[in-house]
Amino acid sequence: MANVKVAIRVRPLNARESVAGGRLAVQVEDKLVRIRNTKLDGRHDGPGESREKVLEFGFDYCYWSVAPEEPHYASQEEVFQDLGVTVLAGASEGYNVCLFAYGQTGTGKTYTMMGTLDSMGLTPRICQGLFKSDDTFPEGHNSSRVEISFLEIYNERVRDLLRGREQKKKPSLRVREHPEKGPYVQDLSQHVVSDYKQAVDLLEEGIANRITAATHIHDTSSRSHAIFTIQYTQAILEDNLPSEIVSKINLVDLAGSERADPHYCRDRLTEGSNINKSLVTLGIVISALAQNSQMSSSCQSINSVASHTSCLSGGGGGGGRRHCFIPYRDSVLTWLLKDSLGGNAKTIMIATVSPSSSSYNETLSTLRYAAHARNIVNKPRVNEDASVRLIRELREEIDRLKRTLLSFQMQLNPSPSLSDQRDGSLSDIVLQNELKVDELTKDWSESWRDKKELLEQYSVDINRDWGGFLIHSLLPHLITLDRDVLSTGVTFYHLRVYTIHNLGY
Ligand code: ADP
Ligand code: MG
């Protein structure tokens, strides 16, 4: 169980706000954000009224990025040291991680997530961190694979940002659900990268595609959500015990939150027009999850007093309140981020705000939204490869059987023949299990090494040729193309020399 971590970042005043007098409504102190309604400043305070002018919110991290000369100014590097490093730590342990930026248009979501040419944001820094962490294990003992995809949701349609020119002709992609892995985008391109440069090239290509779209469709950038996904697979062989863990890192730059104002959207939703259904649904999902988490925690405290009561629906306790239904499927964004919101992921939200008193209402609404999100409880777990888990479990079983055998042998048994029989069958099981483990470990190591070698040799060419794929190989090989969404769609069989059989044609 892990609560969604929430950070607030206050951006510098923009030119318009400075010209208008630059009055600040927001203040940050350690992990507290205070917001003051300056419109009430001139009014005469009645007793107890002054408290309403200043509202205070507590968060996990608060960043004051208003002016670099100020002592508690938070730079891109400082934001990365907290949030980016947390993302990398979660990914290296094999957890799914999601980091999303939320806030009004122009408050610094894209600046924080992507950055500018001279001030790199979280996404490129995280890519850099991923390739650095490769050095932590001695050569030959670990191996990792990084696959990248980048999509945009605009008006409930999903566009692949990494398909180059071909994309424009394509209709939007479909979101489907895998029985175990959950929702995914069908036919979304996945790109294997082997260094930081390749990762950043893809990021830049995707951003450029997003910007091109903005010039064609009015105001797209503030209405579209961009999700940059890194699938990070690590394989480690330590003391001949394999471990293979996979982490999915979702880095999300959301559309401007003014579109999520319930008064602005409700009419239009009932009219059937789709202004930004995803952002409105995100708000509803966050509220419902926060409500459920609060109910569960109050239920726990009730249970600690009277352990036999239950506050869930159908239960006798908790005043008969039911857990809310979470409408993930009501929008593409919430459906795709289902695991990141209340599921199998460690999630961080960074809410960006303007410090200006002219944005008081929007800032207050962002702070309230963020405070809600902080109540969401996720259930992250390490994503381990199934065959590796089997090897580990078999090993544990062998150790247990060996201990049992040892204790039999040490016991003075009144019936030696029975003991011999039991010893014999136990030894057989141990032996069989050990053989199975050896075989599985060998299979796993070989397949991982082969895959890695092939990817290193060919991935660059596969990436480079968007129209199809190009493989340089002097050795005989077979290629299959298939529509299996769980693979890259291309399978390459490398025929080893002297292993080609005559099929009798
Ligand atoms: P959003 O993505 O939320 O619409 P942007 O990231 O595009 O907003 O930011 C709007 C403008 O403000 C950009 O010019 C950006 O460079 C600038 N900006 C935002 N946050 C910061 C910051 N922390 N430091 C310096 N400039 C910032
Ligand atoms: Mg933006």
Side-chain angles (χ1 to χ4, degrees):
M1 297 285 214
N3 271 69
V4 169
K5 295 245 179 303
V6 178
I8 299 289
R9 189 176 198 189
V10 191
R11 68 144 163 79
L13 286 167
N14 63 27
R16 187 179 46 79
E17 291 163 342
S18 302
V19 167
R23 276 182 95 184
L24 302 186
V26 182
Q27 230 184 19
V28 162
E29 196 185 308
D30 197 20
K31 293 185 173 182
L32 291 178
V33 177
R34 287 193 199 94
I35 178 163
R36 196 158 57 94
N37 190 351
T38 48
K39 284 197 192 121
L40 296 179
D41 276 358
R43 293 196 197 161
H44 180 71
D45 285 349
E49 240 183 285
S50 60
R51 247 182 293 140
E52 285 174 19
K53 274 198 242 164
V54 179
L55 292 168
E56 197 173 78
F57 296 84
F59 294 103
D60 298 288
Y61 308 93
C62 294
Y63 301 109
W64 183 256
S65 302
V66 177
E69 61 280 5
E70 287 174 310
H72 58 311
Y73 173 79
S75 63
Q76 297 277 60
E77 174 62 17
E78 270 151 84
V79 175
F80 170 75
Q81 284 306 330
D82 287 335
L83 309 187
V85 168
T86 309
V87 168
L88 288 169
S92 75
E93 288 165 28
Y95 290 103
N96 292 339
V97 197
C98 175
L99 173 62
F100 70 96
Y102 176 90
Q104 197 199 347
T105 298
T107 48
K109 295 181 296 296
T110 305
Y111 180 85
T112 301
M113 294 305 294
M114 311 292 182
T116 55
L117 272 182
D118 37 77
S119 181
M120 248 176 19
L122 285 168
T123 308
R125 283 172 196 261
I126 287 170
C127 291
Q128 210 169 37
L130 269 187
F131 290 103
K132 266 193 199 148
S133 66
D134 245 359
D135 310 333
T136 32
F137 285 89
E139 184 65 23
H141 287 260
N142 88 318
S143 189
S144 64
R145 189 165 70 230
V146 179
E147 286 150 277
I148 283 176
S149 53
F150 198 6
L151 64 86
E152 175 179 61
I153 304 169
Y154 172 68
N155 234 348
E156 294 302 287
R157 286 166 186 269
V158 180
R159 288 176 70 236
D160 189 337
L161 292 174
L162 298 179
R163 268 195 199 269
R165 269 156 267 121
E166 181 204 350
Q167 157 70 26
K168 295 215 178 79
K169 289 172 244 147
K170 284 221 153 204
S172 62
L173 301 175
R174 284 184 62 193
V175 180
R176 308 196 61 187
E177 187 171 18
H178 184 281
E180 280 155 30
K181 295 183 179 169
Y184 67 93
V185 177
Q186 190 176 24
D187 292 336
L188 182 69
S189 62
Q190 269 206 330
H191 305 263
V192 181
V193 291
S194 46
D195 59 30
Y196 167 67
K197 167 96 179 47
Q198 286 179 9
V200 162
D201 283 351
L202 288 175
L203 179 66
E204 282 171 4
E205 182 185 327
I207 293 173
N209 280 337
R210 222 186 148 188
I211 290 165
T212 322
T215 56
H216 290 299
I217 308 163
H218 173 65
D219 199 18
T220 302
S221 68
S222 62
R223 292 190 199 183
S224 81
H225 311 286
I227 307 183
F228 186 78
T229 305
I230 307 170
Q231 181 145 319
Y232 182 48
T233 312
Q234 296 170 87
I236 302 161
L237 190 64
E238 240 178 351
D239 300 331
N240 214 31
L241 183 68
S243 107
E244 185 176 332
I245 46 177
V246 188
S247 159
K248 196 155 108 179
I249 310 171
N250 276 324
L251 303 170
V252 189
D253 182 14
L254 289 178
S257 65
E258 66 281 4
R259 313 277 169 193
D261 183 333
H263 300 107
Y264 179 81
C265 290
R266 197 180 294 139
D267 298 346
R268 283 159 180 83
L269 277 180
T270 44
E271 275 168 21
S273 104
N274 223 340
I275 295 290
N276 200 333
K277 199 172 169 184
S278 277
L279 213 47
V280 179
T281 312
L282 180 68
I284 298 169
V285 164
I286 288 181
S287 297
L289 282 166
Q291 205 172 319
N292 282 356
S293 303
Q294 275 171 337
M295 250 162 67
S296 298
S297 61
S298 63
C299 179
Q300 266 167 18
S301 52
I302 292 168
N303 282 353
S304 63
V305 180
S307 58
H308 55 279
T309 59
S310 157
C311 76
L312 292 181
S313 57
R321 285 173 69 197
R322 283 162 185 272
H323 265 151
C324 302
F325 169 72
I326 315 291
Y328 291 113
R329 290 194 88 131
D330 282 4
S331 80
V332 173
L333 178 76
T334 48
W335 190 219
L336 279 179
L337 294 184
K338 184 168 170 257
D339 253 346
S340 308
L341 301 162
N344 173 22
K346 292 190 170 191
T347 299
I348 303 170
M349 168 183 185
I350 179 152
T352 54
V353 294
S354 149
S356 168
S357 58
S358 59
S359 301
Y360 174 82
N361 288 335
E362 292 82 359
T363 303
L364 182 59
S365 123
T366 302
L367 293 175
R368 288 204 163 118
Y369 200 95
H372 251 92
R374 227 183 147 209
N375 294 318
I376 299 176
V377 180
N378 282 358
K379 301 162 215 79
R381 56 173 188 271
V382 172
N383 302 308
E384 193 181 19
D385 179 80
S387 59
V388 167
R389 186 182 311 130
L390 180 67
I391 295 175
R392 192 169 40 74
E393 284 167 2
L394 274 171
R395 285 252 185 141
E396 283 163 11
E397 176 76 3
I398 291 170
D399 287 345
R400 198 182 58 76
L401 288 171
K402 277 186 174 166
R403 277 197 305 274
T404 318
L405 253 179
L406 202 69
S407 75
F408 276 155
Q409 282 161 358
M410 279 168 34
Q411 262 173 29
L412 252 180
N413 201 307
S415 157
S417 59
L418 189 68
S419 156
D420 284 349
Q421 243 179 21
R422 226 184 304 179
D423 272 12
S425 55
L426 268 180
S427 307
D428 276 356
I429 300 174
V430 170
L431 196 68
Q432 277 168 14
N433 278 353
E434 275 179 339
L435 287 174
K436 218 185 283 177
V437 165
D438 281 351
E439 205 176 309
L440 282 169
T441 310
K442 198 164 147 260
D443 282 356
W444 174 85
S445 313
E446 278 177 7
S447 79
W448 178 266
R449 202 186 46 234
D450 287 355
K451 229 185 289 174
K452 173 97 180 156
E453 275 173 13
L454 277 174
L455 285 172
E456 270 170 10
Q457 241 172 311
Y458 304 112
S459 64
V460 179
D461 286 324
I462 291 172
N463 280 341
R464 218 180 271 155
D465 195 50
W466 304 110
F469 61 93
L470 180 70
I471 291 171
H472 297 303
S473 177
L474 296 176
L475 294 172
H477 57 264
L478 299 172
I479 292 167
T480 62
L481 301 176
D482 68 46
R483 305 193 116 255
D484 179 4
V485 289
L486 301 179
S487 78
T488 56
V490 181
T491 313
F492 184 85
Y493 295 97
H494 206 169
L495 302 177
R496 284 166 202 254
V497 186
Y498 309 123
T499 58
I500 307 167
H501 300 286
N502 186 348
L503 299 176
Y505 291 109

